[in-house]
Amino acid sequence: MSGTTPSRAAGPAGFAGRKPWWQRDRTRRMAGRLIAVAFLLLFFLFPIYWLFVISIKTPDEIYSSPPVWIPDGFHLDAYIALFEDGDVQAIWNSLLVASVSTVLALLFGTMCAYSLARYRTGGIHLGLWIISQRMIPPIAIVFPVFLLYVMVGWVDTYRGLIVLYTTFNVPYVIWMMRGYILDIPLELEQSALVDGCNHWQVFVKVVFPMVRSGLFATAVFTFIFAWNDFVFALIVTRDAVTTFPVQITHYFGAQSTFWSKISAMSVLGTLPVMIAVGLLQRFLVRGMTMGAIKG
Amino acid sequence: MTTRDTAAGSAAPPGWGRRLELLADRKFRYLLIVPTVFLLLSVTVFPAIYTLIVSFQDITLMAEDRSFHGLMNYQRLLEDSRFWWSLVHTVGFLLAALALQFVLGLLMALLFVEWMPGRQVFITLLVLPTVISPIVAGSAWRIMYEHQYGPISQIIGWLAELDNPVLWTADPTFVYPAILLAEVWQWTPFMFLLLLAALVNVDKSQVESAEIDGSTYWRTFWYIVFPAIRPVVAVALLIRSLDLFRVFDKVWILTQGGPGTMTELISIYIYKVGFQQFQTSYAAAMTFVVIILLTAVVVLALRRMGVSP
Amino acid sequence: MAHLSINGLHMYYGDAHAVRGVDLEVPDDQFTVFVGPSGCGKSTMLRAIAGLEDIGAGTIAIDGEVMNDIRPRDRNVAMVFQNYALYPYMNVFDNIGFGLRARKFDKQEIGRRVHEAAQMLGLEDYLDRMPRQLSGGQRQRVAIGRAIVRNARLFLFDEPLSNLDAQLRDDMRAEIKRLHQEIRQTMVYVTHDQIEAMTLGDRIVLLRDGLVEQEGTPFELYDQPATKFVASFIGSPRMNFIPVELVGDPGAPAVRFDADTQLALPSPGGGRYDAHIGRELLLGVRPEHMRHTREDGTRPGVEVLTVLVDLVQPTGSRVYASFALAGTEVMAELEARDVPSVGDRLEMLVDMNRAILIDPDTERTL
């Protein structure tokens, strides 16, 4: 409410003969805030800019000192190299693994969330146990899982990674979807039951459509998590299945570092995420803070 | 829940029908949680137990001795100063990063509470560092820290005269600030978003009432706004602490735990022991100790926040 | 004690023109009520007086000093909010004393003032309770306590009783009235409830769509409404509006309902009805001015009307009987013991002295 229409809050300049000091103070404050925002944007966006810009620089520009702030043109050699050398396979692998695990996590997680939300299955204990799974750091999970996978021969397989991501994401999905389900008025489901639907039909026909937007938002963050992950992929895969973060680390050599490739692969690996976030700004707060705050 | 639903096509007499329905009810709700529970049990609980078993054995790259060796690995752990140092490094890093992220995030949130032109766009842009892969973030900062052709050295050069270019990721004096900077850069927006949402939910009329009563900006913040956002702050700090404890990607790219073992955080040490030295059992023991430690911390924290397990 | 002057006030709420040019004088030490339907601008204006809203044009002055550019905390006003706005993490004592602590009063003085206010409001036993342990009425009293403890010169109330249930509202209304009697300060009170306005106000300002429809004492608005809006807003149950034709001769007007029914109208001084003879107008008569008893039968200006009752609504202390007249439903208020039945023919005594005539085109009272 304060400061909504500065152009109209013009004060009686003529009446008192001078510009009101309070008005000047407010404009000055807004200007100060915007300058601070500009600095913040610079700080937070520059490294991303820098990494991206390397992907289109020529080798001379990359290794020049003092550094070249704005490159001359678009040199797409790095990208072409990625495609020709087949490194792009990593992006494809990431896409496959992240998508499948997201779908599975959403499916299992929403089902479980419904059971917890509407039936209070397992009481508070089950819920707490599930949440605690999310809080364990990956390093504590990944090593045991690695041992398990060695035992069953799932190391370096797609299904191994997919199952791992799914399992790690399910608690997050449950936590989020539970909130969205609880937001639906109970009467809708009850009237469907009275109308003759069985529980499965209620779940599929009434609940699922109503939480569509919640599903969307949760899907994005689940996907982002699986997409960005490094630790799980590093440990559980070798050569057959390489996701793009792992691929990037291959470009860091003891002798030489292929900055162009690092940069180009980073761009390819980040664009999808940026687009997703841009499209779903509305759900940003709720999704990122795990539903702690309802945006 | 409801007990009066009529399963379509049920022709049984009323008494029977009701019992059948209840059975279906119960079956339904347990069916729903089966996949989840199965996954969690097999992929987290079972491996954890298996790890415990392995930690009692002696499995290394050379030999696979699966006999029971008791607490041998744990004893070794107690004497392993590198392990304890890595914990110290991790906790120190955690506290520093947490404090910086919190303060900076709070200041940013206060900046954005009131309206400004382009607010939503700015917020979305500022959140970008958090959604990119930590590997990408680490790579970006690694490039920037390059002493010869990285922009950081250039910028510092504008501000102060340096005789020798600083090797940010190898110089013992600067390596911790370097990784701290990268970590704070990536995760402050998360804090910012959380705190902003909490601030926006504070009851506006309380703030107005305080203003009318004569309170200054900071007084109002301290006595009225901060108590109102404290629960959210607690959750935020807990989540971030757990995340910070497991930092691996960024530090791996920037320093690999170096120089020497200076920035060897716990997750890096475990990785090295388990996957470079292949001392499987020993790594298993370390992992288990870490699990216990973290569980204890989480339980304590939750209890303090008022949620008792 | 503070004299409030509002001149040519315009305010905008987003794109809406919430206040469209209001001129108002709120006299010293009086209890003035801003009343009107939702969206009329009353809360917006109150918040502007407090300094919480931007002013588009015009001035607000307290004791002659223009307040437009002065921050809320420097205006020396106190405000009671609709949702009490108590600070949840402080006890009652700290809530009330918050403003004094902010202004760096010394502890003794704070203690003295808080206890004084608490005593006045019956809160002494609750001083160390937390807001969540209090009932709605107690919370409202704490909010009031917070306002009076600063000895501000102007008190603002933003619909403080809207969140309370009916019984509590009546009790608190009396308390607020008593408060004003005890501490004779200028008070501005906003409400949408005309009963609150009538019972509490020394002066009433009725607002509609950002403009002052009428201002005056409660009785002035009740007995001499300036427009149809005022007449229908004030008074419960609502005034009846009956389409009539003004007939008769200058100096002896009468209203005609239909071919058979006609009632004489007392001529107002100055013959201001004369010019409208022959026109279709609206007759405004309040239900309480139509009676069934025979006591006042011979008073001048009281006419008799025979009607057919088609709806009866008893309330315990009164009975409301409705009947059709000139195509509209008219409601009359009768004594409880006089309960008629649907279909009865009644002889109504209509006090035409209290009736008003409204020009249907301008909606103003003649």
Side-chain angles (χ1 to χ4, degrees), chain C residues 314-320 333-340:
Chain C
T315 69
S317 58
R318 301 258 180 278
V319 177
Y320 296 106
E333 190 181 282
L334 309 176
E335 297 288 321
R337 55 174 191 251
D338 266 348
V339 181

Side-chain angles (χ1 to χ4, degrees), chain B residues 203-217 219-220 223-224 227-231, chain C residues 47 50 52 71-73 77-79 81 83 85-90 98-99 101-103 146 150:
Chain B
D203 185 356
K204 193 150 195 228
S205 48
Q206 283 177 31
V207 174
E208 288 175 345
S209 175
E211 162 81 7
I212 290 181
D213 272 352
S215 175
T216 61
Y217 185 78
R219 176 172 260 272
T220 309
Y223 284 102
I224 296 172
I229 64 174
R230 229 189 1 211
Chain C
R47 289 170 62 87
L52 298 172
R71 310 166 98 139
R73 74 175 85 116
V77 300
M79 186 154 167
F81 288 82
N83 64 359
L86 298 186
Y87 311 127
Y89 301 98
M90 300 180 206
F98 182 78
R101 280 207 315 279
R103 291 181 199 273
R146 190 169 58 188
R150 282 175 39 216

